[in-house]
Amino acid sequence: QVQLVESGGGSVQAGGSLRLSCIASGSGYHYSWMTMAWFRQAPGKEREGVAAIYIRDSDTYYADSVKGRFTISQDNAKNPAYLQMNSLKPEDTAMYYCAARTFATGAPLLESEYKYWGQGTHVTVSS
C-alpha cells in the first residue's frame, strides 16, 4: 500500500510560479520501480494527466499544454516528488492530484494506470 500526501497549492497571478510536493509512504513496494505522476481536474472537466516520472531512470512525460512550463522531479525515496509550475496561466486553475503506480505498464499519463492517489491540492491562477 502507498499513501500520498500533496502540498504546495495556492493562489497566484498569471505568469507566476508554484511548486507542488508529493510525499509517498507505505510498505510492500519497491520505490525504484514506481511511476509518480501529477493529474489535474478543473471544474466541469475530466481529470487529465499533467506530468509523470519513472523513478528508475528519471524519464519524464508531459502533457502538451504544460511542456516547457512545468517540470516534474524526484531525487530519491526520502524526498518528495515535485511539480515546478512556471509561467502559470488562468487555464491551469484546477485541483492537482499526485498519483503513483508500482509497475510501469501502459501510458504514463493515463488515469486508469494509477492505483494510488493523494487527496489533492488546489491551484488558482488569476488573470
Side-chain angles (χ1 to χ4, degrees):
Q1 289 292 329
V2 178
Q3 292 80 45
L4 303 172
V5 178
E6 306 104 328
S7 61
S11 297
V12 66
Q13 289 190 327
S17 298
L18 284 173
R19 188 177 75 165
L20 306 183
S21 302
C22 176
I23 296 178
S25 62
S27 62
Y29 62 93
H30 294 285
Y31 190 78
S32 60
W33 289 97
M34 289 177 64
T35 306
M36 301 290 291
W38 289 93
F39 288 75
R40 67 185 180 186
Q41 186 168 22
K45 295 187 177 181
E46 294 185 353
R47 189 151 55 182
E48 62 171 347
V50 174
I53 183 168
Y54 288 170
I55 302 301
R56 181 176 71 253
D57 54 16
S58 298
D59 277 354
T60 55
Y61 300 83
Y62 297 94
D64 289 342
S65 58
V66 305
K67 280 181 181 177
R69 300 189 298 122
F70 290 12
T71 303
I72 188 171
S73 62
Q74 206 286 329
D75 292 334
N76 59 64
K78 295 183 179 180
N79 291 336
Y82 295 107
L83 182 68
Q84 178 67 43
M85 305 185 294
N86 298 328
S87 302
L88 282 161
K89 305 175 181 180
E91 51 264 42
D92 294 318
T93 295
M95 184 71 80
Y96 283 72
Y97 298 90
C98 179
R101 62 181 184 183
T102 51
F103 293 97
T105 53
L109 294 180
L110 189 62
E111 181 180 359
S112 59
E113 284 287 314
Y114 291 84
K115 180 178 180 180
Y116 303 105
W117 294 85
Q119 80 287 355
T121 185
H122 201 267
V123 171
T124 300
V125 184
S126 58
S127 58

